[in-house]
């Protein structure tokens, strides 16, 4: 009887194993496609936002400035050196307005892929159109930057929202890390190609200005070309909601407000999110403004800036791995706090850098690279422990808003400081407040109690 039962059970068990294997294979296929969106869009961050567009847009604004050093977009007097920082701030404000609406549409319809395609190709098209810049077309450059940067932010909300659907809980850290690694790999690879083109532009028979415009456009073409892979492999899931056909256009904001209200029941989670909002704003501002500082204040060549950013890309991976090992020994919170101290020291060192000294700028870039990836990776990991079970998507939506939606304050402070003082050194040192305040806010969060309050098991070291 027992043998007969076993024999009858075996075919069913084999079918079950086959189903599990098929599901795992389908997940792997989607995961591989998902990696490639980071591979596609990260080139925009490294080539455009971090290296070329800041100095180039500032140069165009300077070509259009009046005798007092001001340009007048929409009749508003703006110091030419502040225009790029203000454009970055405006792009983030546009993204803040768009992200909840797009997120609500994705949740309501379940059709994330068409929305991801729209955001990706809007950003890719705006980036490719930067080939048309030059002379004193700073307004066109500002508009294209705002569109591309906002589209990038919106696409990342949709991209990240796939993670819980394509990866089991136990494998999400690995899948997320691989996507991150794909992005930095692409960023480094394209930067190398752009560095060759930029430094050898005369050998290719093109001007320096044309080389910059080709480098900008190449990021858009790369973004659009490789976005095809995730759009082919990712799939939409059906969503069954009674009110799906009647949701208001503003439901994205309503959902965000509802999530924040729910967070009031988890004040320690909200406290961490506030700390992250502050210090991450400083991180994002350093990333976007470092090239302007190197170009305008330190009088460094564009090739030096590109090499420095390439160095950051490479060391960010090594730094994240090293900080991950430190977190195993000392906990994520202590490691992040240590990284914030390192960020503060880095900015202080940047204030004293001598002009025309590439070696010292490379040293600064190395310091940034070693703390950059780990700061962001460990912050996301720590936050995952503070999210109540079953509310991962909506809480990480708020996290994404903190990551990208409020990162206009840092560039605004940077731009205003330069507007008032006329000094990029004063502007860069003004960012210390974000890391100092973030350190204080994070240090006050009792993370063990926060994990317990969220109903999650407390890791041995946190």
């Amino acid at each position: 009887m027992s043998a007969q039962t076993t024999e009858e059970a075996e075919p069913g068990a084999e079918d079950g194993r086959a189903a599990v294997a098929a599901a795992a294979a389908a997940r792997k296929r989607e995961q591989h496609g998902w990696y490639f969106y980071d591979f596609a869009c990260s080139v925009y961050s490294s080539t455009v936002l971090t290296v070329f567009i800041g100095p180039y847009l500032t140069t165009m604004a300077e070509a259009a400035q009046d005798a007092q050093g001001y340009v007048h977009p929409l009749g508003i007097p703006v110091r030419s050196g502040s225009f790029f920082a203000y454009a970055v701030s405006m792009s983030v404000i546009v993204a803040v307005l768009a992200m909840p609406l797009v997120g609500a549409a994705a949740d309501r319809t379940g059709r994330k892929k068409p929305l991801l395609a729209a955001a990706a190709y809007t950003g890719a098209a705006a980036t490719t159109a930067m080939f048309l810049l030059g002379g004193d077309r700073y307004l066109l450059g500002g508009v294209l930057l705002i569109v591309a940067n906002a589209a990038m932010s919106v696409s990342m909300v949709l991209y990240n929202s796939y993670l819980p659907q394509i990866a089991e809980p136990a494998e999400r850290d690995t899948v997320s890390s691989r996507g991150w690694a794909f992005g930095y790999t692409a960023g480094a690879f394209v930067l190398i190609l752009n560095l060759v083109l930029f430094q050898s532009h005369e050998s290719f028979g093109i001007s320096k200005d044309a080389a910059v415009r080709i480098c900008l456009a190449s990021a858009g073409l790369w973004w659009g070309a490789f976005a095809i892979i995730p759009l082919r492999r990712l799939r939409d899931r059906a969503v069954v909601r009674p009110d799906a056909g009647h949701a208001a256009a503003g439901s994205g904001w309503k959902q965000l407000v509802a999530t924040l209200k729910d967070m009031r029941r988890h004040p320690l989670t909200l406290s961490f999110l506030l700390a992250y909002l502050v210090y991450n704003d400083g991180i994002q501002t350093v990333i976007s403004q470092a090239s302007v500082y190197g170009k305008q204040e330190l009088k460094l060549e564009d090739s030096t800036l590109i090499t420095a950013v390439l160095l950051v890309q490479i060391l960010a991976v090594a730094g994240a791995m090293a900080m991950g090992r430190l977190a195993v020994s000392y906990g994520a919170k202590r490691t992040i706090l240590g990284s914030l101290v390192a960020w503060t020291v880095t900015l202080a060192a940047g204030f004293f850098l001598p002009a025309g000294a590439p070696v010292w700028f490379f040293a600064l870039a190395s310091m940034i690279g070693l703390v950059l990836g780990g700061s962001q990776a460990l912050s996301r990991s720590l936050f995952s422990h503070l999210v109540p079970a079953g509310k991962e998507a909506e809480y990480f939506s708020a996290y994404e808003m903190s990551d990208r939606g409020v990162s206009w304050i840092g560039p605004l402070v940077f731009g205003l400081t330069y507007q008032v003082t006329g000094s990029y050194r004063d502007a860069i040192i003004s960012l210390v407040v974000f890391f100092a305040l973030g350190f204080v806010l994070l240090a006050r969060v009792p993370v063990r109690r926060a994990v317990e309050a969220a109903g999650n098991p407390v890791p041995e070291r946190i």
Side-chain angles (χ1 to χ4, degrees):
M1 183 70 178
S2 174
Q4 183 180 2
T5 303
T6 302
E7 290 174 1
E8 290 176 353
E10 285 180 354
E14 290 177 0
D15 291 344
R17 286 193 294 270
V20 170
R27 282 202 316 276
K28 290 294 183 185
R29 176 178 171 79
E30 281 197 275
Q31 288 167 9
H32 292 157
W34 188 80
Y35 300 149
F36 270 96
Y37 189 71
D38 221 328
F39 190 83
C41 70
S42 291
V43 171
Y44 166 81
S45 298
S46 58
T47 291
V48 177
L49 191 60
T50 307
V51 177
F52 285 107
I53 194 61
Y56 195 53
L57 189 55
T58 301
T59 299
M60 286 187 289
E62 289 174 344
Q65 70 186 14
D66 59 20
Q68 288 73 43
Y70 287 83
V71 290
H72 301 269
L74 304 177
I76 303 171
V78 173
R79 194 184 285 268
S80 59
S82 296
F83 181 75
F84 170 64
Y86 290 157
V88 172
S89 293
M90 181 58 68
S91 72
V92 178
I93 292 172
V94 172
V96 167
L97 296 175
M99 281 192 288
L101 300 179
V102 173
D107 289 341
R108 187 171 64 247
T109 65
R111 293 178 58 79
K112 295 179 183 177
K113 193 156 68 171
L115 293 170
L116 177 60
Y121 284 103
T122 296
T127 306
T128 304
M130 290 179 184
F131 181 78
L132 303 175
L133 299 180
D136 60 356
R137 298 177 184 171
Y138 77 97
L139 271 179
L140 175 61
V143 170
L144 292 176
L145 172 62
I146 290 169
V147 172
N149 219 33
M152 171 74 166
S153 296
V154 170
S155 72
M156 289 305 293
V157 171
L158 297 163
Y159 166 72
N160 288 335
S161 70
Y162 272 103
L163 183 57
Q165 296 179 332
I166 65 172
E168 296 294 323
E171 61 183 356
R172 285 177 196 167
D173 287 345
T174 300
V175 171
S176 178
S177 298
R178 285 177 180 169
W180 181 83
F182 264 56
Y184 273 102
T185 300
F189 176 71
V190 175
L191 267 182
I192 291 172
L193 297 181
N194 285 332
L195 180 60
V196 171
L197 174 65
F198 184 81
Q199 289 186 322
S200 308
H201 61 87
E202 293 180 352
S203 302
F204 290 99
I206 59 176
S207 66
K208 179 180 177 181
D209 181 81
V212 172
R213 292 188 289 115
I214 290 172
C215 291
L216 290 170
S218 71
L221 294 174
W222 181 283
W223 188 354
F226 284 98
I228 295 173
I229 298 175
L231 292 174
R232 286 180 63 87
R233 292 199 172 189
L234 293 172
R235 62 186 181 86
D236 288 329
R237 273 78 172 170
V239 174
V240 180
R241 292 194 176 190
D243 58 344
H246 306 286
S251 60
W253 286 103
K254 292 178 181 178
Q255 179 59 56
L256 179 62
V257 170
T259 300
L260 293 176
K261 286 182 177 179
D262 185 72
M263 281 187 173
R264 292 169 61 184
R265 299 191 302 107
H266 302 281
L268 298 180
T269 299
L270 195 57
S271 296
F272 172 81
L273 196 60
L274 176 62
Y276 174 74
L277 181 154
V278 172
Y279 69 73
N280 182 66
D281 201 354
I283 292 173
Q284 297 302 321
T285 307
V286 173
I287 292 172
S288 66
Q289 304 301 320
S291 291
V292 175
Y293 183 69
K295 176 77 172 179
Q296 301 299 322
E297 185 68 36
L298 304 182
K299 310 302 180 184
L300 298 175
E301 297 293 331
D302 290 333
S303 58
T304 299
L305 301 178
I306 298 172
T307 304
V309 173
L310 178 60
L311 187 61
V312 169
Q313 297 282 311
I314 295 171
L315 290 179
V317 177
M321 294 174 64
M323 286 180 64
R325 286 194 289 269
L326 286 173
V328 172
S329 300
Y330 299 102
K333 178 184 173 180
R334 288 184 179 179
T335 307
I336 295 171
L337 289 172
S339 77
L340 298 181
V341 173
W343 275 108
T344 303
V345 172
T346 299
L347 289 179
F351 179 83
F352 293 105
L353 283 188
V359 172
W360 289 110
F361 191 71
F362 289 147
L364 186 73
S366 299
M367 293 171 66
I368 291 174
L370 288 173
V371 295
L372 174 61
S375 301
Q376 296 174 317
L378 291 180
S379 296
R380 180 169 59 182
S381 175
L382 180 55
F383 183 70
S384 69
H385 293 288
L386 310 181
V387 178
K391 297 189 176 181
E392 293 84 1
E394 60 181 279
Y395 271 58
F396 268 103
S397 175
Y399 182 86
E400 186 68 23
M401 289 287 288
S402 299
D403 189 10
R404 297 178 182 272
V406 195
S407 56
W408 56 271
I409 300 175
L412 181 61
V413 169
F414 186 92
L416 286 173
T417 304
Y418 180 79
Q419 175 106 357
V420 172
T421 67
S423 168
Y424 281 108
R425 292 186 186 273
D426 291 339
I428 200 74
I429 204 67
S430 71
L431 301 179
V432 166
V433 67
F434 290 92
F435 297 102
L437 182 56
F439 181 96
V440 172
L441 292 174
L442 178 58
R444 291 170 58 87
V445 179
V447 291
R448 286 189 172 276
R449 281 204 290 124
V451 175
E452 291 173 350
N456 295 323
V458 181
E460 183 179 349
R461 292 196 180 276
I462 188 70

